[in-house]
Amino acid sequence: DEADPLRTKDFIRASTYRATEGFPALVEFLKYGGFIYLDAPTSGSGNIHWRVVAATCVSKRPGMGMLPFGSREPLSGAAHRELTSQHRWHPVILGRLQAAHLYAWICPREVIAGQHLGGLYGALAYLLEDGQAWVF
């Protein structure tokens, strides 16, 4: 489908990693996750179209980029309970984050249990094995 922004060729072309570097970016995206950045929607023929402007994927390959984190802040107990009740915690599958065993994506500008957590671009909450929870 021409309107599908995740067509394989477009995704790999827009990806920050290139298939020629080894493991194809699309496979890493599907296996480990990542982020896709879209431009403003356009409409035509009654359909809304989004164009991929950039994409990144989480990679287990050493030296293949970093996901930058800002300063951390503690996650309140109420926000932790709300994320739990909404089934938003997911297991951490990358060994590089060994201290954390669960994570949750926080949407941009999202407020959870009265705590402003999402920031301008979204955030990640991590539940550490020692019971502490932080938002980055």
Side-chain angles (χ1 to χ4, degrees):
D1 179 29
E2 287 297 313
D4 183 359
L6 298 180
R7 290 186 318 261
T8 304
K9 288 179 185 176
D10 286 347
F11 177 84
I12 291 176
R13 190 178 311 116
S15 175
T16 58
Y17 301 123
R18 302 289 179 239
T20 57
E21 295 174 349
F23 208 33
L26 180 61
V27 174
E28 286 188 327
F29 180 82
L30 294 172
K31 188 169 183 178
Y32 305 119
F35 298 91
I36 296 176
Y37 304 93
L38 306 171
D39 67 354
T42 59
S43 59
S45 305
N47 296 318
I48 295 176
H49 302 277
W50 299 83
R51 188 175 65 88
V52 174
V53 293
T56 60
C57 59
V58 176
S59 175
K60 284 189 168 185
R61 292 180 286 160
M64 291 307 300
M66 300 288 291
L67 185 62
F69 289 95
S71 61
R72 69 180 185 174
E73 67 177 279
L75 182 69
S76 71
H80 179 265
R81 287 187 295 277
E82 189 169 326
L83 288 170
T84 301
S85 71
Q86 295 174 355
H87 306 285
R88 291 178 58 182
W89 292 107
H90 303 281
V92 172
I93 59 171
L94 292 176
R96 294 181 187 168
L97 299 172
Q98 291 176 359
H101 66 100
L102 294 174
Y103 77 94
W105 169 251
I106 312 295
C107 294
R109 296 183 177 90
E110 186 172 1
V111 177
I112 300 175
Q115 192 176 3
H116 295 267
L117 297 172
L120 186 59
Y121 303 107
L124 290 164
Y126 287 97
L127 182 60
L128 306 182
E129 291 179 354
D130 64 5
Q132 295 183 58
W134 296 94
V135 177
F136 293 87

